[in-house]
Amino acid sequence: MVMGVTVISVGVTPAQPVPERPPGLRLAERLAVLGDSTAVGLGDPLPRRGGWRGVGPLVAEALGIRPDGYLNSSFTGARMACVRTEQLPLALAHRPDVALVVVGMNDTLRPDFDPERIAADLTEVVRAFAAAGTTVLPVRFHDHSKVFRLPPSLKRALSARVAELNAAIDLVVEAEGIACLDLDALPGAYDLTAWSVDRLHPSELGHRMLARGFTDLLSQAGFAVPEPVPLTCSGGVEPSTAGHLGWLVAKGVPWLWRRGREFLPYAAVIMWRSFRERVG
């Protein structure tokens, strides 16, 4: 979820006339998506190099939101502070009924990881949306080491970081009384078919699962979901073996080298602690 790539913005598929609102349900007309490369849509490419689709357009389509009602201010490599300082002002200006926030994994891989700062930034984002009357849905994360193969020491280190990240998110969610999409509990989250060839971003199926999870929460919050998200893949591109190898050479290995150098000092501490525990 942390790839630095050039992003081609993708518009939402033109919607049909807005359906009538079912009795007692609220019809969302404006949606904002904030976050990192998963929020951008990486892992769900469109045909003919048409950019990325991903969770945002899928949720917009399910809610019946018109193209001018959709905004995606996310960008690759974003951290929680980026959402607060750079993406939030754009999203608030859009006046969304619903905002989705998918960010945090980039923070876990950096040497200045600070759960308290992450919680403070997320609190500010949530409260700003609440003051604007926006329903905001963040995510808490799965154990990424279960889908991205790592040496045991790095696996323990990453799992520990994700646990700290989730604890920070949980504190905010409980304090602010909001719903949150728990990726660890999302059915099928650890199936390899839910992940793209890089094992860092959701596949088309994975993005559909995220969108289904978000719209289920919105339905529980009283929003109409005129077109439930299907889990049958369509409209995207199935990555080829050549594409997989190309990603590994052009993106995967350089990313592992950059982030590995930043993350290894923390992993070394985990290894040392584990060694001391074993030798007593």
Side-chain angles (χ1 to χ4, degrees), residues 13 44-48 51 53 204 208 232-238:
T13 302
D44 184 18
L46 291 171
R48 296 180 294 278
R53 177 178 49 182
E204 178 185 342
R208 288 180 177 277
T232 301
C233 294
S234 65
V237 176
E238 182 68 25

Side-chain angles (χ1 to χ4, degrees), residues 218-279:
L218 290 170
S219 178
Q220 294 168 23
F223 284 93
V225 183
E227 298 290 338
V229 180
L231 295 183
T232 301
C233 294
S234 65
V237 176
E238 182 68 25
S240 63
T241 300
H244 186 183
L245 293 175
W247 178 89
L248 287 174
V249 173
K251 303 292 183 181
V253 173
W255 177 85
L256 287 172
W257 173 247
R258 290 194 304 271
R259 290 295 175 260
R261 286 185 299 171
E262 295 176 339
F263 191 61
L264 277 175
Y266 171 71
V269 172
I270 297 295
M271 293 171 64
W272 174 245
R273 288 176 181 171
S274 298
F275 174 75
R276 292 186 63 181
E277 290 172 0
R278 288 198 303 270
V279 300

